[in-house]
Short mmCIF file of all heavy atoms in Angstrom, two decimals:
data_model
loop_
_atom_site.label_atom_id
_atom_site.label_comp_id
_atom_site.label_asym_id
_atom_site.label_seq_id
_atom_site.Cartn_x
_atom_site.Cartn_y
_atom_site.Cartn_z
N ILE A 1163 -12.87 19.44 -7.37
CA ILE A 1163 -12.56 20.87 -7.34
C ILE A 1163 -13.06 21.47 -8.63
O ILE A 1163 -13.04 20.82 -9.68
CB ILE A 1163 -11.04 21.11 -7.16
CG1 ILE A 1163 -10.58 20.49 -5.84
CG2 ILE A 1163 -10.71 22.62 -7.25
CD1 ILE A 1163 -9.08 20.59 -5.61
N LYS A 1164 -13.52 22.68 -8.52
CA LYS A 1164 -14.02 23.35 -9.72
C LYS A 1164 -13.02 23.31 -10.82
O LYS A 1164 -11.87 23.64 -10.64
CB LYS A 1164 -14.30 24.85 -9.36
CG LYS A 1164 -14.95 25.65 -10.53
CD LYS A 1164 -15.24 27.10 -10.05
CE LYS A 1164 -15.84 27.91 -11.21
NZ LYS A 1164 -16.10 29.34 -10.78
N PRO A 1165 -13.41 22.80 -12.00
CA PRO A 1165 -12.43 22.57 -13.06
C PRO A 1165 -11.81 23.92 -13.60
O PRO A 1165 -12.42 24.96 -13.56
CB PRO A 1165 -13.22 21.88 -14.16
CG PRO A 1165 -14.66 22.19 -13.91
CD PRO A 1165 -14.76 22.40 -12.42
N GLY A 1166 -10.60 23.75 -14.04
CA GLY A 1166 -9.92 24.94 -14.61
C GLY A 1166 -10.22 25.13 -16.06
O GLY A 1166 -11.06 24.46 -16.66
N PRO A 1167 -9.57 26.07 -16.75
CA PRO A 1167 -9.83 26.32 -18.13
C PRO A 1167 -9.41 25.18 -19.05
O PRO A 1167 -8.53 24.39 -18.65
CB PRO A 1167 -8.97 27.60 -18.40
CG PRO A 1167 -7.94 27.55 -17.38
CD PRO A 1167 -8.53 26.92 -16.14
N LYS A 1168 -10.06 25.08 -20.19
CA LYS A 1168 -9.71 24.04 -21.15
C LYS A 1168 -8.61 24.47 -22.10
O LYS A 1168 -8.88 24.91 -23.26
CB LYS A 1168 -10.98 23.62 -21.90
CG LYS A 1168 -12.09 23.04 -20.98
CD LYS A 1168 -13.33 22.65 -21.70
CE LYS A 1168 -14.34 22.10 -20.76
NZ LYS A 1168 -15.62 21.66 -21.50
N VAL A 1169 -7.42 24.48 -21.58
CA VAL A 1169 -6.33 25.12 -22.21
C VAL A 1169 -5.11 24.10 -22.09
O VAL A 1169 -4.95 23.49 -21.02
CB VAL A 1169 -5.90 26.44 -21.57
CG1 VAL A 1169 -4.63 26.97 -22.21
CG2 VAL A 1169 -7.10 27.43 -21.86
N ARG A 1170 -4.22 24.08 -23.14
CA ARG A 1170 -2.95 23.37 -23.03
C ARG A 1170 -1.79 24.33 -23.38
O ARG A 1170 -1.88 25.12 -24.31
CB ARG A 1170 -2.93 22.12 -23.95
CG ARG A 1170 -3.82 21.02 -23.34
CD ARG A 1170 -3.60 19.68 -24.00
NE ARG A 1170 -4.17 18.71 -23.10
CZ ARG A 1170 -4.34 17.40 -23.44
NH1 ARG A 1170 -3.92 16.98 -24.61
NH2 ARG A 1170 -4.80 16.51 -22.59
N LYS A 1171 -0.73 24.21 -22.58
CA LYS A 1171 0.43 25.05 -22.78
C LYS A 1171 1.52 24.35 -23.53
O LYS A 1171 1.84 23.14 -23.19
CB LYS A 1171 0.99 25.53 -21.42
CG LYS A 1171 2.16 26.41 -21.46
CD LYS A 1171 2.66 26.81 -20.07
CE LYS A 1171 3.95 27.63 -20.12
NZ LYS A 1171 4.45 27.96 -18.78
N PHE A 1172 2.15 25.01 -24.44
CA PHE A 1172 3.23 24.44 -25.22
C PHE A 1172 4.43 25.40 -25.19
O PHE A 1172 4.25 26.62 -25.39
CB PHE A 1172 2.83 24.19 -26.66
CG PHE A 1172 1.67 23.31 -26.81
CD1 PHE A 1172 0.35 23.73 -26.74
CD2 PHE A 1172 1.85 21.90 -26.91
CE1 PHE A 1172 -0.69 22.87 -26.92
CE2 PHE A 1172 0.83 21.01 -27.00
CZ PHE A 1172 -0.46 21.50 -26.96
N ARG A 1173 5.56 24.88 -24.82
CA ARG A 1173 6.79 25.79 -24.65
C ARG A 1173 7.98 25.08 -25.31
O ARG A 1173 8.31 23.95 -25.01
CB ARG A 1173 7.02 26.02 -23.20
CG ARG A 1173 8.16 26.94 -22.87
CD ARG A 1173 8.23 27.26 -21.42
NE ARG A 1173 8.30 26.06 -20.57
CZ ARG A 1173 8.23 26.07 -19.28
NH1 ARG A 1173 8.03 27.17 -18.57
NH2 ARG A 1173 8.33 24.94 -18.63
N PRO A 1174 8.69 25.81 -26.17
CA PRO A 1174 9.90 25.26 -26.72
C PRO A 1174 10.99 25.21 -25.66
O PRO A 1174 10.96 25.91 -24.63
CB PRO A 1174 10.30 26.26 -27.81
CG PRO A 1174 9.66 27.57 -27.43
CD PRO A 1174 8.41 27.15 -26.68
N GLU A 1175 11.95 24.26 -25.82
CA GLU A 1175 13.05 24.08 -24.91
C GLU A 1175 14.15 25.08 -25.31
O GLU A 1175 14.57 25.17 -26.46
CB GLU A 1175 13.59 22.66 -24.99
CG GLU A 1175 14.70 22.42 -23.93
CD GLU A 1175 15.20 20.99 -24.03
OE1 GLU A 1175 14.60 20.16 -24.70
OE2 GLU A 1175 16.31 20.74 -23.46
N ARG A 1176 14.66 25.81 -24.32
CA ARG A 1176 15.66 26.83 -24.53
C ARG A 1176 16.97 26.55 -23.72
O ARG A 1176 16.83 25.92 -22.64
CB ARG A 1176 15.13 28.27 -24.22
CG ARG A 1176 13.95 28.65 -25.00
CD ARG A 1176 13.46 30.05 -24.65
NE ARG A 1176 12.27 30.41 -25.34
CZ ARG A 1176 12.22 31.01 -26.53
NH1 ARG A 1176 13.38 31.43 -27.09
NH2 ARG A 1176 11.08 31.33 -27.18
N ASP A 1177 18.06 27.01 -24.14
CA ASP A 1177 19.29 26.81 -23.36
C ASP A 1177 19.44 28.00 -22.35
O ASP A 1177 18.54 28.84 -22.19
CB ASP A 1177 20.55 26.75 -24.24
CG ASP A 1177 20.72 28.02 -25.12
OD1 ASP A 1177 20.23 29.07 -24.73
OD2 ASP A 1177 21.48 27.92 -26.12
N GLU A 1178 20.56 28.09 -21.69
CA GLU A 1178 20.72 29.11 -20.57
C GLU A 1178 20.77 30.53 -21.09
O GLU A 1178 20.49 31.45 -20.37
CB GLU A 1178 22.07 28.78 -19.84
CG GLU A 1178 22.11 27.55 -19.02
CD GLU A 1178 22.48 26.30 -19.80
OE1 GLU A 1178 22.51 26.39 -21.08
OE2 GLU A 1178 22.63 25.22 -19.21
N THR A 1179 21.04 30.65 -22.39
CA THR A 1179 21.09 32.00 -22.99
C THR A 1179 19.73 32.41 -23.61
O THR A 1179 19.63 33.49 -24.21
CB THR A 1179 22.19 32.07 -24.05
OG1 THR A 1179 21.89 31.17 -25.10
CG2 THR A 1179 23.58 31.83 -23.44
N GLY A 1180 18.76 31.49 -23.54
CA GLY A 1180 17.48 31.80 -24.07
C GLY A 1180 17.22 31.39 -25.52
O GLY A 1180 16.17 31.60 -26.06
N ASN A 1181 18.28 30.79 -26.19
CA ASN A 1181 18.11 30.35 -27.50
C ASN A 1181 17.36 28.97 -27.56
O ASN A 1181 17.55 28.19 -26.67
CB ASN A 1181 19.46 30.22 -28.19
CG ASN A 1181 20.18 31.52 -28.37
OD1 ASN A 1181 19.55 32.49 -28.86
ND2 ASN A 1181 21.45 31.63 -27.93
N ILE A 1182 16.57 28.79 -28.60
CA ILE A 1182 15.76 27.57 -28.73
C ILE A 1182 16.60 26.38 -29.08
O ILE A 1182 17.40 26.41 -30.07
CB ILE A 1182 14.60 27.76 -29.77
CG1 ILE A 1182 13.60 28.77 -29.31
CG2 ILE A 1182 14.01 26.41 -30.07
CD1 ILE A 1182 12.55 29.13 -30.29
N VAL A 1183 16.51 25.39 -28.18
CA VAL A 1183 17.21 24.08 -28.47
C VAL A 1183 16.36 23.16 -29.32
O VAL A 1183 16.83 22.54 -30.27
CB VAL A 1183 17.59 23.41 -27.13
CG1 VAL A 1183 18.22 22.03 -27.38
CG2 VAL A 1183 18.45 24.31 -26.29
N SER A 1184 15.12 23.08 -28.99
CA SER A 1184 14.16 22.26 -29.75
C SER A 1184 12.76 22.97 -29.65
O SER A 1184 12.36 23.46 -28.60
CB SER A 1184 14.08 20.79 -29.24
OG SER A 1184 13.66 20.77 -27.93
N PRO A 1185 11.99 22.91 -30.77
CA PRO A 1185 10.68 23.54 -30.67
C PRO A 1185 9.65 22.74 -29.89
O PRO A 1185 9.90 21.57 -29.63
CB PRO A 1185 10.26 23.60 -32.21
CG PRO A 1185 11.05 22.43 -32.81
CD PRO A 1185 12.33 22.35 -32.02
N ALA A 1186 8.58 23.38 -29.52
CA ALA A 1186 7.49 22.66 -28.91
C ALA A 1186 6.81 21.70 -29.91
O ALA A 1186 6.63 22.14 -31.12
CB ALA A 1186 6.48 23.60 -28.32
N LEU A 1187 6.51 20.49 -29.53
CA LEU A 1187 5.94 19.51 -30.44
C LEU A 1187 4.42 19.42 -30.09
O LEU A 1187 4.04 18.99 -28.99
CB LEU A 1187 6.57 18.17 -30.30
CG LEU A 1187 5.95 17.01 -31.10
CD1 LEU A 1187 6.21 17.33 -32.70
CD2 LEU A 1187 6.57 15.73 -30.79
#
Side-chain angles (χ1 to χ4, degrees):
I1163 299 175
K1164 185 178 179 181
K1168 298 178 179 182
V1169 174
R1170 287 193 163 172
K1171 179 183 177 181
F1172 300 89
R1173 181 173 57 188
E1175 185 181 347
R1176 299 177 184 270
D1177 62 19
E1178 292 84 351
T1179 62
N1181 294 312
I1182 292 176
V1183 176
S1184 61
L1187 177 66

